[in-house]
Amino acid sequence: MKNQYFKIICIVSIGIFLFSSCGRTVTRISSDTVVDYSGNWNNTDSRLVSEKMIQTMMNAPWVQVFTQVKHKKPTIIVGFVVNKTHNHIDAETFLQDLETAIVNSGTIRLVQGGEQRKALRAERADQQDNASLSTMKRFGLEHGADFMLQGVMTSTVDAFKKNKVVQYQVSLQLSNLETNEIVWMSTEKITKTVKN
Amino acid sequence: MNKFFLFSLFIISTLLIFAQEHSDQNPNYKRMIIKYSAIADSFSNMEGTSLQRTYKAYDWNETKMQEKAERKAFNRELRLIEAKNSYYNYNYDYGYLFYSNYRNYNYPFSPYNYYPYSYGNYGNYYRNNWTQAIVPPLIGAAVGTAASVGMYHLLRK
């Protein structure tokens, strides 16, 4: 009897020993939860930047000024963001939050650009041959943007032995497409210390 | 006549306003339209995207780790090369490369051999491979057995 128990314990313990390292756990967490591992750019930084940008952009006076002078809502097109940091960062992670805020505000218009606009034009071209005359959409009636949103991301790294300080700086600008005048600009700085 | 006069006045004033609005425009603007129409596509393709112009930041700790990994990889390569060429090159008798193993086997007490009792160097190659294949599982099994025996004794009490 004792021998049988011994065998079972042996098998179980060997099994635990062999398979304990193969386990993997995945847990869903809220997008607002702050999780930092490497000190690189992560979802928390993206969220902080988008929150700050939305807040400053919506409260800036340029919308009211434009509306009063031109008697229409301003129209924005999103340009490109240049990533000059030491990490590969996709600016769309916070730009899309900004776009959502613009569309939902109701005071600013947003028009498509880039690949999406090409897809729309391609669909319109397709309609010229395939759609009925009453539903076919015409060319040359796109809404021209008044402003373009552009941005730059930069970083500075100071590292020695096991300590590191990283500063990310995200700068967004809104420029008048006719006059090149910058009507709104915001910069967000995120500084992190990393100790290995 | 009066109506015609009023209509002419309206047309002239409209044209004057239009001219005033655009009077400041640079007369060479058409050159820029031609220039930028040609390259517009290359820029509009990037709209809504991120242009990656990243740089490599110096990180003391990361550099050290990278150097360590490179050294490890180099030593591994070196060991593999040595193991593959051990038949010819692992003799310390400074010459007689092709005959040395023959001499090792047949004349173990030859005064020309540095290691008189070795059977060539086939052993190095096989030992390396067998070591890598067998030792880690053996260690694992030994640790596992020790753990299970320990647990048994603990539970027995």
Side-chain angles (χ1 to χ4, degrees):
Chain A
M1 194 66 181
K2 269 186 179 178
N3 204 17
Q4 271 187 340
Y5 279 128
F6 180 71
K7 276 181 185 173
I8 291 163
I9 289 165
C10 276
I11 290 163
V12 170
S13 57
I14 287 168
I16 291 165
F17 176 75
L18 289 175
F19 294 106
S20 60
S21 60
C22 307
R24 175 183 289 171
T25 45
V26 178
T27 316
R28 295 257 178 282
I29 56 165
S30 165
S31 303
D32 300 341
T33 313
V34 179
V35 182
D36 285 303
Y37 288 123
S38 64
N40 288 340
W41 182 269
N42 62 11
N43 65 324
T44 308
D45 303 321
S46 181
R47 184 170 50 81
L48 288 172
V49 167
S50 68
E51 280 171 5
K52 169 83 186 295
M53 294 297 175
I54 289 166
Q55 194 192 348
T56 55
M57 193 180 194
M58 294 302 162
N59 296 328
W62 68 273
V63 185
Q64 284 177 354
V65 171
F66 184 86
T67 314
Q68 281 169 7
V69 173
K70 299 281 181 180
H71 303 292
K72 63 173 187 174
K73 290 179 191 175
T75 307
I76 290 179
I77 187 164
V78 178
F80 56 84
V81 174
V82 185
N83 174 23
K84 291 182 180 177
T85 68
H86 62 291
N87 294 147
H88 181 95
I89 301 169
D90 226 343
E92 281 98 293
T93 51
F94 60 85
L95 279 180
Q96 291 202 338
D97 290 340
L98 199 63
E99 287 175 28
T100 309
I102 289 168
V103 172
N104 293 340
S105 73
T107 53
I108 309 166
R109 282 174 160 174
L110 185 73
V111 289
Q112 284 282 19
E115 294 292 320
Q116 279 95 338
R117 186 171 65 187
K118 284 199 166 179
L120 291 171
R121 285 174 184 169
E123 171 56 25
R124 208 178 301 136
D126 187 74
Q127 284 188 5
Q128 310 305 309
D129 287 336
N130 299 307
S132 64
L133 284 174
S134 59
T135 57
M136 182 185 81
K137 302 298 174 289
R138 291 170 292 167
F139 271 97
L141 291 171
E142 288 179 19
H143 201 93
D146 301 304
F147 301 97
M148 182 180 259
L149 188 72
Q150 294 165 312
V152 183
M153 300 175 82
T154 52
S155 72
T156 47
V157 182
D158 184 18
F160 184 66
K161 292 198 173 174
K162 292 185 173 180
N163 299 315
K164 187 163 72 169
V165 180
V166 187
Q167 188 186 61
Y168 293 99
Q169 186 171 313
V170 184
S171 180
L172 289 182
Q173 302 164 351
L174 197 66
S175 311
N176 189 313
L177 270 170
E178 201 164 68
T179 61
N180 295 354
E181 181 193 1
I182 298 171
V183 294
W184 170 80
M185 191 174 176
S186 183
T187 304
E188 172 72 352
K189 290 176 186 174
I190 292 170
T191 311
K192 297 178 181 186
T193 56
V194 183
K195 195 172 181 181
N196 288 301
Chain B
M1 187 66 188
N2 205 9
K3 276 183 183 175
F4 177 74
F5 176 73
L6 282 172
F7 181 72
S8 305
L9 197 69
F10 173 74
I11 295 290
I12 289 161
S13 60
T14 312
L15 283 171
L16 274 173
I17 290 163
F18 188 78
Q20 270 179 352
E21 270 183 7
H22 295 82
S23 60
D24 204 25
Q25 190 174 23
N26 193 309
N28 297 326
Y29 72 94
K30 280 184 182 169
R31 271 169 35 195
M32 289 301 109
I33 291 175
I34 294 163
K35 184 184 171 184
Y36 281 95
S37 294
I39 56 167
D41 254 10
S42 61
F43 282 96
S44 64
N45 275 344
M46 292 188 286
E47 281 168 6
T49 61
S50 318
L51 196 63
Q52 303 294 334
R53 283 187 195 155
T54 53
Y55 69 97
K56 182 154 174 55
Y58 179 78
D59 187 330
W60 193 89
N61 203 37
E62 209 172 280
T63 311
K64 283 276 164 194
M65 279 165 72
Q66 202 178 337
E67 280 173 3
K68 195 178 171 185
E70 277 171 12
R71 217 165 37 240
K72 208 174 167 184
F74 173 75
N75 287 337
R76 189 176 174 274
E77 282 290 313
L78 199 67
R79 276 201 305 277
L80 282 170
I81 292 164
E82 281 172 356
K84 277 179 187 170
N85 300 325
S86 61
Y87 178 75
Y88 297 120
N89 297 339
Y90 256 76
N91 299 289
Y92 296 88
D93 53 3
Y94 309 104
Y96 307 105
L97 290 177
F98 291 94
Y99 300 100
S100 58
N101 287 298
Y102 175 76
R103 199 164 58 244
N104 277 341
Y105 186 74
N106 291 293
Y107 303 100
F109 301 105
S110 162
Y112 299 105
N113 281 322
Y114 197 84
Y115 294 110
Y117 290 100
S118 73
Y119 287 89
N121 283 287
Y122 290 109
N124 263 342
Y125 179 73
Y126 291 112
R127 192 165 61 246
N128 282 340
N129 284 352
W130 280 105
T131 308
Q132 283 163 12
I134 282 182
V135 169
L138 274 178
I139 291 169
V143 172
T145 314
S148 58
V149 169
M151 277 175 72
Y152 168 72
H153 281 290
L154 278 172
L155 289 169
R156 201 175 160 200
K157 284 174 187 174

